[in-house]
Amino acid sequence: MFNLILFGPPGSGKGTQSEKLIREYGFIHLSTGELLRAEIARKTPLGLEARKFMDQGLLVPDEIVIGMISSMLDSHPGARGFLFDGFPRTATQAVALDRLLALKKTGIHLVASLEVPEEELLRRLLNRGITSGRSDDAHEGVVRARIEEYHRKTASVAEYYTLAGTFKTIRGEGSIEEIFGLLRQLISSSEHAG
Ligand code: B4P
């Protein structure tokens, strides 16, 4: 089993690269952003609660996303590997994920961090906001709040995995294919190291 976290600020290309990675490697894709948007679309109580935070560019409370990931892990008992996209986003989520994976006698093998300058993030997200219909991409204030929330709460996740020895950075600027090529190289060297 090989478990990968795709890490990086909002708009760094996690969702974009995830699509390519699951096609190539057959990972089970767990995107907390997508799971939350599906709950919002179905107007479930969880979705209505999550929306209050997402519309302001804030992170959804840890217990909500950890519960979602826990039940998704349980619903894929025979998985060859998981790709976590946008999770964990706080140190508390990272600790919880380690515990959940330990129960399944596995762990995280690689954390690939996409590094993109802030002005490029803003440009990409506001550009997506023109067509995506995503309320959290539509206003510059909300997009900036998401980036601030990343620095405030998510950057510490990088320290957690640096200590664990699994954290690797790659340049997240350039063509989508170029970045995918770098990710493939990282996965291949981590698989050989493991
Ligand atoms: P997410 O859905 O995770 O989305 P994201 O961080 O905004 O985007 P991502 O990095 O996936 O960007 P993408 O590839 O799409 O989170 C949304 C919200 O959900 C959060 O703000 C939070 O409120 C909540 N949430 C989610 N997970 C949570 C958690 N664990 N805990 C608490 N709250 C949570 O790329 C963006 C744009 O860039 C696209 O338009 C794409 O086409 C473009 N792009 C991608 N690669 C490019 C490249 N190489 N060059 C040019 N453009 C590129």
Side-chain angles (χ1 to χ4, degrees), residues 9-17 31-34 36-37 53-54 57-60 65 85-89 93 120 123-125 128 134 136-137 146 172-176 179:
S12 55
K14 302 183 295 289
T16 304
Q17 295 296 332
S31 158
T32 38
E34 274 180 20
L36 290 166
R37 283 188 288 278
F53 296 91
M54 291 169 76
L58 301 175
L59 291 182
V60 172
V65 281
D85 163 9
F87 179 89
R89 262 175 154 101
Q93 292 178 19
E120 170 71 6
R123 196 187 62 73
R124 287 184 190 179
L125 292 173
R128 182 172 68 184
R134 269 180 61 170
D136 60 345
D137 285 342
R146 286 163 62 194
E173 276 183 296
S175 78
I176 288 168
I179 298 163

Side-chain angles (χ1 to χ4, degrees), residues 2-193:
F2 188 85
N3 300 312
L4 164 69
I5 293 173
L6 210 46
F7 186 79
S12 55
K14 302 183 295 289
T16 304
Q17 295 296 332
S18 289
E19 279 180 30
K20 299 180 74 66
L21 289 166
I22 52 178
R23 238 178 283 137
E24 172 107 0
Y25 295 95
F27 290 118
I28 300 291
H29 182 209
L30 297 183
S31 158
T32 38
E34 274 180 20
L35 291 168
L36 290 166
R37 283 188 288 278
E39 296 281 342
I40 290 173
R42 293 203 307 273
K43 297 193 169 64
T44 63
L46 190 157
L48 295 175
E49 180 61 18
R51 178 160 204 165
K52 292 185 210 156
F53 296 91
M54 291 169 76
D55 278 354
Q56 295 178 68
L58 301 175
L59 291 182
V60 172
D62 285 334
E63 55 277 18
I64 295 184
V65 281
I66 292 167
M68 271 183 356
I69 287 287
S70 175
S71 53
M72 289 303 288
L73 288 175
D74 286 342
S75 61
H76 293 94
R80 280 164 49 204
F82 290 99
L83 166 55
F84 298 93
D85 163 9
F87 179 89
R89 262 175 154 101
T90 64
T92 304
Q93 292 178 19
V95 172
L97 179 60
D98 271 350
R99 290 212 182 106
L100 291 169
L101 292 176
L103 289 174
K104 301 188 184 306
K105 311 235 177 315
T106 185
I108 291 298
H109 301 93
L110 172 65
V111 183
S113 175
L114 297 167
E115 310 278 304
V116 179
E118 206 147 307
E119 286 315 305
E120 170 71 6
L121 298 175
L122 263 177
R123 196 187 62 73
R124 287 184 190 179
L125 292 173
L126 291 172
N127 196 32
R128 182 172 68 184
I130 298 169
T131 52
S132 69
R134 269 180 61 170
S135 54
D136 60 345
D137 285 342
H139 303 288
E140 185 167 339
V142 175
V143 170
R144 284 192 186 275
R146 286 163 62 194
I147 295 172
E148 276 167 31
E149 187 82 333
Y150 171 82
H151 290 302
R152 210 168 26 232
K153 295 186 177 163
T154 307
S156 64
V157 174
E159 286 166 37
Y160 182 89
Y161 290 109
T162 301
L163 282 173
T166 45
F167 192 80
K168 303 277 185 289
T169 57
I170 59 170
R171 189 169 179 271
E173 276 183 296
S175 78
I176 288 168
E177 281 308 323
E178 269 164 21
I179 298 163
F180 183 54
L182 295 173
L183 281 169
R184 284 167 62 169
Q185 281 172 23
L186 259 191
I187 291 172
S188 159
S189 47
S190 305
E191 277 176 337
H192 291 123

